[in-house]
Amino acid sequence: MRKAVCPGSFDPVTLGHLDIFERASLMFDEVIISVFVNPTKDKAMFTMKERVNMIKKATAHIPNVKVTSFSGLLNDFCKQQGANFIIRGLRAFSDFEYEFQRALLIKKINKDLETVFIMTNAQYSYLSSSSVRELAYFDGQIAGLVPACIEEDIKNILAKIKAKKITKEKG
Ligand code: ADP
């Protein structure tokens, strides 16, 4: 059984990510999407649970996908899951250097673990979670950037975050 892990922050999941999940699901028997939480650098806007739930909703139509989360090293997670492949999406040149270094490091730790790159769909090449976060926070239009079924979730979560911030500033 060919299992692949799709790791990422997915803060939040976008249509660019979803396109990669759908294409990976055609190449592997099982695709394990995992929200990675890195306490040494994590400054996520959405909680791990929120991110997992949004991905679950957005991928409900893909039968061979499993969604989970992990805090730790990617190599350890792949071993735990019995997966020999890591899927990463590639956008512009800017992604390449980081991904190249990361893939080589992973290979050095475990030579049986293969990183597979899927080129972005041209339609989403400009799309990033950080731009979605910024747009959504300032009430910009996120339709067409994130899966339609999670648009409201994003708006509701951000409304709560903003309300909390205002209360904190007042108090
Ligand atoms: P990271 O894993 O670096 O925290 P993300 O969670 O945003 O970043 O992305 C997870 C994976 O999805 C990465 O391989 C990233 O390159 C890829 N990705 C992000 N946005 C897009 C997009 N618009 N098109 C294709 N791949 C993307």
Side-chain angles (χ1 to χ4, degrees):
M1 185 161 169
R2 291 159 78 88
K3 286 191 193 183
V5 168
C6 272
S9 313
F10 308 118
D11 187 41
V13 66
T14 68
L15 284 176
H17 294 131
L18 184 59
D19 176 65
I20 299 292
F21 301 154
E22 286 170 346
R23 289 157 67 196
S25 75
L26 302 175
M27 297 162 64
F28 295 93
D29 298 310
E30 186 177 34
V31 174
I32 305 156
I33 303 166
S34 187
V35 175
F36 267 72
V37 184
N38 184 347
T40 67
K41 66 168 195 183
D42 216 352
K43 276 208 155 220
M45 182 163 270
F46 298 91
T47 66
M48 192 177 75
K49 206 171 161 192
E50 286 163 350
R51 285 181 271 166
V52 166
N53 286 341
M54 287 192 276
I55 301 172
K56 277 186 179 165
K57 248 188 181 180
T59 57
H61 62 291
I62 317 175
N64 55 337
V65 147
K66 180 170 113 179
V67 187
T68 180
S69 61
F70 192 71
S71 180
L73 294 177
L74 179 56
N75 288 63
D76 293 337
F77 179 74
C78 292
K79 200 171 177 184
Q80 184 202 90
Q81 298 289 324
N84 289 321
F85 301 93
I86 294 166
I87 304 286
R88 298 287 291 173
L90 268 189
R91 279 164 296 185
F93 293 110
S94 49
D95 275 341
F96 181 79
E97 204 176 329
Y98 171 74
E99 295 294 344
F100 180 67
Q101 195 186 22
R102 192 178 147 131
L104 292 188
L105 185 64
I106 286 167
K107 193 89 182 142
K108 186 165 172 53
I109 300 171
N110 180 355
K111 65 174 178 39
D112 297 325
L113 202 45
E114 208 59 67
T115 304
V116 178
F117 294 101
I118 299 183
M119 203 59 70
T120 185
N121 183 324
Q123 200 184 342
Y124 304 127
S125 60
Y126 61 91
L127 187 52
S128 67
S129 295
S130 57
S131 48
V132 168
R133 286 197 300 274
E134 194 173 327
L135 272 169
Y137 193 84
F138 295 109
D139 301 319
Q141 185 73 253
I142 56 167
L145 305 182
V146 299
C149 61
I150 64 162
E151 268 177 46
E152 279 310 304
D153 295 331
I154 291 178
K155 286 178 190 165
N156 292 340
I157 295 166
L158 285 180
K160 276 188 201 148
I161 291 175
K162 283 200 249 181
K164 236 186 204 168
K165 199 163 176 261
I166 291 168
T167 318
K168 214 171 160 189
E169 278 168 5
K170 276 186 184 163

